[in-house]
Amino acid sequence: TGFLSWLDPTVVFQQFRGHPSDEEYSRLIAATRQTLAIGNKYMNAKLLALSVLAALAELTGGDAPLSHFVGGGSLNADGQESHWIGDYIKVEAPKQGVEVDDTVFRILLDGRGDPNRGTSTFDSRTSPLAAYLYGAIGDDGVERSLKHVVHPMNTTNSQALLRSLPRNVVNEVVTACSKVATTRSEKLQKLAGNY
């Protein structure tokens, strides 16, 4: 996500012989700077959510497909739609004192783009886990926790990442994941007691 933080908005738009006007150019640069900041915060929240899932996977038996922990979009062995983490995680508006960018929070919660145009093949439109984490710990908490994000995730780093989060946040995530990743439910519940 560091890529977005060092991009220079002045390379996106340029002036030539007074076009665009100084006023319009300044507006474009400011809008680009804001868009890059939103994108950076969005990607940081997504990276943290994926890293938390990687930590849970590491501590409960090792690598597993993302869908094992977040579910959704497929049929289970009984032919019924599988559970989805969004059904179990309680995303709430950020509490007083937790600073977030409202635009970033809304995009994580409600989704990117036009819901009528379909979804991408590489990512879900909404990000309930990232929205939950971002709303619970805010910009500062995301930055603090990202210091413990490494890839690949090992046991030591997994434990450090989970310890960087408030206990109630870890418990909420673990409980939601245990309802989706039923084959690891027991190990996930034990894990909740450690944090």
Side-chain angles (χ1 to χ4, degrees), residues 80-118:
Q80 297 184 355
E81 191 170 317
S82 64
H83 296 281
W84 185 54
I85 196 168
D87 297 332
Y88 302 108
I89 200 109
K90 298 175 195 144
V91 181
E92 298 174 351
K95 295 198 180 350
Q96 187 78 15
V98 176
E99 290 189 33
V100 301
D101 182 306
D102 291 331
T103 301
V104 173
F105 182 72
R106 284 278 140 231
I107 293 170
L108 291 167
L109 184 60
D110 298 332
R112 302 175 269 103
D114 182 352
N116 299 318
R117 297 181 79 195

Side-chain angles (χ1 to χ4, degrees), residues 16 32 40-41 56 67 70 81-82 85-88 106 108 117 120-121 126 129 134 141 144 170 172 174 187:
F16 182 71
T32 303
N40 195 52
K41 290 178 182 184
L56 294 179
S67 61
V70 298
E81 191 170 317
S82 64
I85 196 168
D87 297 332
Y88 302 108
R106 284 278 140 231
L108 291 167
R117 297 181 79 195
S120 70
T121 57
T126 61
L129 178 56
Y134 187 62
R144 275 192 306 275
V170 173
E172 179 77 20
V174 166
K187 288 180 180 180

Side-chain angles (χ1 to χ4, degrees), residues 1 12 14 27 107 176:
T1 62
V12 177
Q14 297 184 5
R27 189 192 67 73
I107 293 170

Side-chain angles (χ1 to χ4, degrees), residues 8-73:
D8 180 3
T10 61
V11 301
V12 177
F13 296 102
Q14 297 184 5
Q15 282 182 299
F16 182 71
R17 295 184 181 171
H19 295 287
S21 67
D22 288 344
E23 183 179 305
E24 177 64 9
Y25 181 71
S26 293
R27 189 192 67 73
L28 291 169
I29 296 302
T32 303
R33 187 171 280 116
Q34 181 180 10
T35 299
L36 290 171
I38 288 168
N40 195 52
K41 290 178 182 184
Y42 173 85
M43 294 302 295
N44 283 343
K46 294 279 283 190
L47 176 60
L48 178 60
L50 290 172
S51 297
V52 166
L53 293 173
L56 294 179
E58 177 64 28
L59 297 173
T60 60
D63 198 21
L66 177 63
S67 61
H68 188 71
F69 287 90
V70 298

